[in-house]
Amino acid sequence: MKLTGGQVVARALKEYGVEYVAGVPGHGIWSLFDAFLQEGSEIPFIQVMHEQSAVHMADGYYRACGKPMACSTSVGPGATNTIIGLATAYTDSTSLFYVSGSPQTYMQGHGTMQEIERQQDNAFPRITEQVTKRAWQAHSVKTLPTIMHRAFSEMLTGRPGPVHVEVPMDVQVEADEVTIHPLDKRLPTGISYPDPKAIAAAAKVLLSARRPVIVAGGGAISANASAELTALAEKLGAAVSITWNGKGAISEDNALFIGAVGQTGTTCGNKITASADVVISVGCRFTDWSASSYAKGVSFSFPPGRLIHIDLDPREIGKTYPTEVGIVADAKIALAQLLDAISDDEAAMLREGNAAFAADVEQAKADWRAQVEPRETSRETPFTSQRPLVALRKVLPRDGIVVVGSGNTQGSVKQSFTIYEPRTHLTSGSYSPMGWAVPAAMGAKLACPEKKVVAIVGDGDFMMSLPEMGTAVMNGINVVFLVLNNQGYMSIRGGQRKFMGRHIASEFNHHAGSGEPYSADIAASARAFGLKAWKVEKDEDLESSLEAALNTDGPTLVEVIVSRDAAGPFATGWWDFPSPAYYEKEQAAYAEMRAKEQML
């Protein structure tokens, strides 16, 4: 067929199964956008208010359903606005397709409008190279079909991640005789199987365990390995802890679930995992958040604990901790083979021999519940951060999706919001940008229109994506936005107070006047965009408002006023935050924990 460059991109996206494109138009991309109106390449286009949101929307879409969505922008500022979104997807290993425009090939290097060219001509792809699996520049229509199938191959094989294709303005409009390459002829068949010797070695280690723990990371979710992970845990009697992105890998009403590890993990998650003699890590890369900044004995204890590390990316094996057995494979098949490698009789003997460990797990879970329940059941107002989460869980279906922003909200959800199914808790557990959850929730709703979707954010996070209320209304994306308003960046204030004894720029106050707390009327702002909205300040209104929002036909917002004090999650682990030298007391406490850090 004779197609323009824009048609090649649009038709390939359609044939490769992409259902939506999100973005903002501009002179550098409008010719390519026009191709989405051409017969044979029509794809619904979601117009957002900020380019960063387009990427976050595609990110949330992939996390919810495991299929890629596309996003697109013009050149210059529109393109550079995507970097936070791309970095978020890259660090969290989520796949999405990003296509941008660029100056005409014959004008690059001459300082055309919005071109970055002082170090290299048309240098924007040099930026995206650091936050994508691969970036391509198309120099002709003829090269585009190959670029498209290679981009999808890169995105859909191995460790997931975003890709970037840049199409200059002249290439977008020129036409040539081309063929869209069938994707099924360009992708490998099957998944990565583990080495049988590694499975045998891992099974031998597991059968010697007296305190076995499975740590589920985001890789367990992306591999759709929840059933196998749960079955292995039940067969071994292994406790299961999670990282942020691993939340949902096992139903949290399973008796073996012990909560999260890390700085805002649960006390039982950290205590039991740190005391494990064998840890099976499934798709976990041991970030400082999840490993308590590697302070030995807080979340993990390697050695004497032994690590069986399952990961699709060989670079993660042994990167931070020594491994007893490293298994490079798809997590789902690796866990299935471990299940087969251990007989039912062997597993029964293992469980019988580990009765004391099971009792320790139950006691640690009871101790944690005693600590957290007063905040979850408190009827005080302003609310604790935990109370609205308990109320939401009561009215949200088990398969409802929560998309969680950063800060206190993120940690409180990790500790106090029960998740039952994989891909129903979405959060940026690595890059953790403010402004992610609102558009990501809209992406999740596009991916799973039959499910209820709730974005849970703080007011500071929400204000960074407030304009996207218009996107939800214009496109009929029926998400509930739950805003926990504590009038500031309270997670930052908490850290400042802990490590420096004072705070700056973390409260929203009338700084130029009385110093009293400041807050926009968020519910009224939502109504101005066309949403139905509730502002909740009384306990008796909480559950009814959330239920009404969930049952409304259209996007809705519930603003809940929460306390600035005791407002966030419990800090049960350790996070390496140095204090300035002039804080001698804080420096002494920091030095004590810093000495425990061990990156082997």
Side-chain angles (χ1 to χ4, degrees):
M1 294 177 289
K2 192 168 187 177
L3 300 174
T4 66
Q7 286 178 290
V8 172
V9 172
R11 189 175 288 260
L13 290 176
K14 187 177 181 69
E15 292 187 10
Y16 294 173
V18 171
E19 296 179 336
Y20 294 98
V21 182
V24 176
H27 76 279
I29 199 68
W30 63 39
S31 295
L32 192 150
F33 278 18
D34 188 73
F36 292 121
L37 302 174
Q38 286 290 101
E39 184 178 355
S41 57
E42 310 96 324
I43 301 177
F45 198 96
I46 307 297
Q47 178 194 37
V48 297
M49 299 296 186
H50 192 282
E51 292 88 353
Q52 181 177 326
S53 294
V55 189
H56 290 332
M57 185 180 289
D59 184 350
Y61 183 98
Y62 178 83
R63 293 178 198 239
C65 71
K67 298 187 295 183
M69 178 176 160
C71 52
S72 187
T73 71
S74 187
V75 300
T80 53
N81 275 343
T82 66
I83 298 303
I84 291 175
L86 292 172
T88 302
Y90 184 66
T91 56
D92 272 0
S93 301
T94 59
S95 293
L96 59 89
F97 181 90
Y98 168 51
V99 58
S100 67
S102 70
Q104 300 92 320
T105 55
Y106 52 86
M107 295 187 73
Q108 292 179 7
H110 292 280
T112 61
M113 189 174 84
Q114 299 181 333
E115 179 187 13
I116 302 172
E117 44 75 38
R118 291 182 187 172
Q119 301 298 323
Q120 297 99 17
D121 296 350
N122 184 40
F124 177 66
R126 304 287 80 75
I127 301 173
T128 64
E129 285 174 356
Q130 301 304 312
V131 290
T132 58
K133 285 188 73 177
R134 177 73 191 271
W136 285 266
Q137 292 174 282
H139 298 294
S140 69
V141 177
K142 282 283 191 187
T143 63
L144 264 172
T146 296
I147 288 173
M148 291 300 292
H149 88 244
R150 290 182 66 196
F152 269 73
S153 178
E154 187 72 36
M155 182 170 55
L156 298 176
T157 60
R159 184 174 184 166
V163 294
H164 172 218
V165 174
E166 185 183 81
V167 186
M169 285 186 277
D170 54 324
V171 177
Q172 293 176 36
V173 301
E174 292 170 357
D176 209 331
E177 294 287 340
V178 294
T179 299
I180 306 298
H181 301 162
L183 191 58
D184 61 351
K185 302 296 185 182
R186 303 288 179 162
L187 293 178
T189 301
I191 57 178
S192 298
Y193 271 61
D195 187 324
K197 292 181 180 179
I199 293 296
K204 183 177 180 180
V205 172
L206 285 172
L207 288 172
S208 69
R210 291 295 170 261
R211 303 180 67 85
V213 173
I214 299 173
V215 179
I221 303 287
S222 60
N224 298 314
S226 294
E228 291 78 9
L229 186 148
T230 302
L232 183 63
E234 291 174 345
K235 189 170 191 176
L236 300 174
V240 180
S241 57
I242 55 161
T243 68
W244 247 313
N245 284 337
K247 191 173 174 71
I250 186 171
S251 179
E252 294 180 10
D253 57 359
N254 190 302
L256 295 170
F257 176 71
I258 56 174
V261 287
Q263 192 254 352
T264 52
T266 62
T267 54
C268 53
N270 280 321
K271 180 180 180 180
I272 297 300
T273 307
S275 70
D277 62 342
V278 176
V279 171
I280 314 170
S281 168
V282 185
C284 167
R285 63 191 183 96
F286 296 104
T287 65
D288 62 336
W289 248 353
S290 295
S292 289
S293 292
Y294 317 108
K296 188 174 181 179
V298 179
S299 293
F300 298 101
S301 302
F302 302 125
R306 293 171 292 168
L307 174 62
I308 299 169
H309 196 166
I310 301 171
D311 205 286
L312 191 60
D313 187 348
R315 291 173 295 188
E316 297 298 339
I317 306 293
K319 183 176 74 175
T320 299
Y321 290 124
T323 54
E324 192 77 11
V325 183
I327 303 175
V328 178
D330 176 87
K332 185 179 182 72
I333 192 63
L335 292 170
Q337 291 194 356
L338 277 174
L339 275 166
D340 291 341
I342 298 172
S343 71
D344 291 343
D345 289 343
E346 289 173 323
M349 291 179 61
L350 183 69
R351 293 193 303 271
E352 290 171 9
N354 293 345
F357 172 61
D360 287 349
V361 169
E362 288 304 309
Q363 184 60 56
K365 290 175 67 174
D367 292 344
W368 166 245
R369 294 308 309 158
Q371 179 176 340
V372 73
E373 277 185 0
R375 287 194 187 180
E376 293 178 349
T377 58
S378 171
R379 295 298 192 265
E380 294 181 3
T381 55
F383 296 98
T384 65
S385 287
Q386 294 81 7
R387 170 74 180 109
L389 303 179
V390 173
L392 175 64
R393 183 68 275 179
K394 288 181 179 179
V395 298
L396 185 70
R398 282 177 71 97
D399 68 348
I401 298 172
V402 292
V403 185
V404 188
S406 60
N408 279 343
T409 303
Q410 194 174 34
S412 295
V413 168
K414 182 166 66 167
Q415 292 180 348
S416 294
F417 192 87
T418 305
I419 293 293
Y420 302 109
E421 299 182 11
R423 299 187 188 275
T424 61
H425 169 268
L426 314 180
T427 196
S428 174
S430 296
Y431 218 58
S432 191
M434 288 191 283
W436 176 84
V438 164
M442 288 189 271
K445 184 65 176 179
L446 292 173
C448 304
E450 76 287 356
K451 293 184 178 182
K452 301 290 187 183
V453 177
V454 182
I456 307 175
V457 291
D459 55 308
D461 191 318
F462 178 76
M463 294 299 281
M464 293 197 176
S465 52
L466 172 64
E468 302 306 338
M469 296 299 97
T471 300
V473 173
M474 288 190 297
N475 294 282
I477 306 175
N478 298 345
V479 171
V480 176
F481 302 100
L482 173 57
V483 183
L484 306 185
N485 185 355
N486 55 20
Q487 301 169 305
Y489 308 124
M490 290 301 106
S491 65
I492 302 301
R493 189 191 73 168
Q496 290 174 326
R497 285 181 169 182
K498 180 176 181 179
F499 295 102
M500 291 168 283
R502 56 186 178 180
H503 61 271
I504 181 172
S506 49
E507 294 182 342
F508 295 163
N509 296 327
H510 288 274
H511 299 299
S514 64
E516 290 297 308
Y518 168 83
S519 175
D521 190 332
I522 291 174
S525 299
R527 295 186 196 106
F529 277 97
L531 285 79
K532 190 169 184 179
W534 294 258
K535 186 171 186 175
V536 180
E537 299 180 82
K538 298 179 180 178
D539 184 72
E540 57 265 30
D541 297 331
L542 184 57
E543 284 182 27
S544 60
S545 298
L546 290 168
E547 190 167 25
L550 283 165
N551 293 328
T552 297
D553 184 18
T556 57
L557 182 142
V558 180
E559 177 188 7
V560 179
I561 307 303
V562 297
S563 172
R564 281 182 162 182
D565 301 306
F570 291 93
T572 63
W574 158 251
W575 205 0
D576 187 332
F577 284 125
S579 297
Y582 46 79
Y583 289 111
E584 295 182 3
K585 180 181 177 181
E586 288 78 6
Q587 276 272 311
Y590 169 78
E592 180 182 350
M593 289 302 298
R594 176 71 178 83
K596 295 182 179 182
E597 292 181 10
Q598 190 172 21
M599 289 168 280
L600 300 173

